[in-house]
Amino acid sequence: MAIINSIKAVTEALDVAMERDPNVIVFGEDVGLEGGVFRATQGLQQKYGIERSFNAPISEAMFAGVGLGMAMNGMKPVIELQFQGLGLPSLQNIITNISRMRNRSRGKWTAPLVIRMPMGGGIRALEHHSEALEVIYAHIPGIKTVLPSTPYDTKGLILAAIESPDPVIVLEPTKLYRAFKQEVPEGYYTVPIGEGFKIFQGNDLTVVTYGSQTVDCMKAVELLKASHPNATIELIDLRSIQPWDKKMVIESVKKTGRLLVVHEAVRSFSVSTEIITTVNEKCFEYLKAPLSRCTGYDVIIPYDRGEGFHQVNPQKILVAMQNVLDYKF
Amino acid sequence: MKTKYIGKFDPLKDEVVRVIDKDGKVINPTLMPKISDEELIKAYSIMNLSRRQDDYQNKMQRQGRLLSFLSSTGQEACEVAYTMVLDPKKDFFVSGYRNNAAWLTMGQPIRNIMLYWTGNEMGAKAPDGVNSLPPNIIIGSQFSQATGLAFAEKYQKRDGVALTTTGDGGMSEGETYESMNFAKIHEVPVVFITENNKWAISTPTYEQTKSINLAVKGIATGIPSIKADGNDFLASWAVAKEAVEFARSGNGPVFIEYDTYRLGAHSSSDSPDVYRPKPEFENAKLYDPLIRMKQYLIDKKLWSEEKQVKLDEEQSAHIAAEFAWVEENKNYGIEDIFNYQYSELTEDLKEQMNEAKEFFAKYPESKDGGHH
């Protein structure tokens, strides 16, 4: 097994998929010769030719729609958007056409395409490059949304997305592209869409997170040992946010009685809202503390000088965990 | 490929392909396409059927038995022409929402169209072997979908063509330009059409663009672009036939502007009398494509008033029978709103479907509670 980072895992996933199926093609802004702004598609044009890996004109609404047409007609397009914040014109087609095609044609036409995009902050980028808008995608019926946090999951989830008969949005935390390496199997494997991963087992508090906050949460759990040496934390990486692993979270909260949801996206009308509501409905009588969350504030993502105030970090998570653990009725 | 129309008429000079005048007289015999008498009669029959269906549906809508719908009245000639030249099994028609005559020509049964306008998605499902996509309410988006379908045809080394259409209003959407740009870059077999019917709801074309016409909008992308009289079936058919052959032969996309006129309302819910100048409308009626085509056929001894009476009777009976079927079959069960979200029902949706079933089993009448 090779030890690689997440960006290399993206490339490997695409390489494996293109090798297996000639109908898999990749396109997006600058993805051709140069390999995209993060070099995720580097080498693919050289290996598979300009017909299968090419630059798209800068018109995201169009190329999402074009991808839909290709997918309806037997192909497996994997479309790259440069940044989530720059790809918003594509939402027009994601919401109005891609997510609805199976339903509006009553199954005659389907849209098995994949749209990938870097997302999230913490990379000292310019305005519109650090958005965490996952909830917009999670809110749309008809598409699936995955959000890997490790090189292993990145490759496995992208391959699962390509295999999926439904349209899948892959949100790739930019901050983690080159943050660390991991052993990743060569060749083909998938990580099932909708299944979470338990990073730590624990009995006292369930922490649910995804994306780049998995790393922050792991650090916070380490820091917690100083103040709460006897507390054990069950840390869950959701990996998919629509569908999300409701069963894993509910079983965990029934065991621990406490929940903290962590994400960098703004607080209101967010993934944490959904999880907390569900847990409230399903295991109210098991709870030992109010359901809690540690998130970004409801503000426009600050530029670099202010981003540190907004970003979730291990210290913020630590305080949030302590508050839940120390709560007394 | 040697062309007779594409590249021979300059959109920058507002040149228009026209074969017959408003009275059905041939004015440009050299432009006459090779089309059989049988095809001409078939085309006229579908144009007539679509017009009668529009009239019938308007009545049903007034009675509250049909939702608002968008009629093709006035635009039947070009719609029938450009879909007639497609092979519905291997070519794709990516429609807008005002395409009744085109849907009929592609082989969409009337009952499906009516079902759609009663609010049942099943109506958007074309029969097996008919590559006609559901109506596209978001204007402009059909251009990108057609481009993708055409890309896949070329990529997979098949020879199907995708044909798509929008109105003059749709040409103001960025996606139409973006799609033509991409289609030309990849030289995919797609025919883009705009049916310039002069009104986008209540906005006239002259408030939509200051271009000399819409055909010039294709020129910036490098796509051969042409303008034809969309109320002249012969001109419409000639240009469409050549465009589809042009694209099918590997020459890349074509853009056609059909000069036509929306004789009806935007939808059955609005009144054009509020915004449309009466003299303009009265003048447009003189160019009604059905009248022109009928007169042309009569002059050619292919048609008569007796045949017209018989056709109207047959088609009226057929339309009424289809609507009767629709009224019997327009509703569906709870499962249908859940079943087509994903390839398989998710656990969440199963739970929500069961919740809905239990609720409506207990309170069956409340299903209609959302309607006032």
Side-chain angles (χ1 to χ4, degrees), chain A residues 116-185:
Chain A
R116 303 173 32 244
M117 67 193 88
M119 59 82 65
I123 55 157
R124 310 202 63 185
L126 299 175
E127 194 179 7
H128 301 303
H129 290 63
S130 299
E131 272 66 19
L133 301 171
E134 64 270 24
V135 71
I136 293 178
Y137 301 94
H139 193 68
I140 307 165
I143 57 173
K144 295 185 172 179
T145 302
V146 301
L147 222 157
S149 68
T150 65
Y152 179 90
D153 287 354
T154 299
K155 183 173 172 185
L157 279 169
I158 288 176
L159 285 168
I162 293 171
E163 191 179 87
S164 169
D166 298 307
V168 182
I169 308 293
V170 182
L171 305 177
E172 298 163 1
T174 320
K175 196 172 150 184
L176 298 185
Y177 268 153
R178 295 189 168 84
F180 63 95
K181 292 182 178 180
Q182 189 183 31
E183 279 196 346
V184 171

Side-chain angles (χ1 to χ4, degrees), chain B residues 24 42 85 93 95 128 153 156 203 295 306:
Chain B
K42 182 186 162 198
V85 299
F93 175 49
S95 77
D128 290 344
E153 282 300 301
Q156 296 178 103
T203 304
Q295 195 55 51
E306 293 74 37

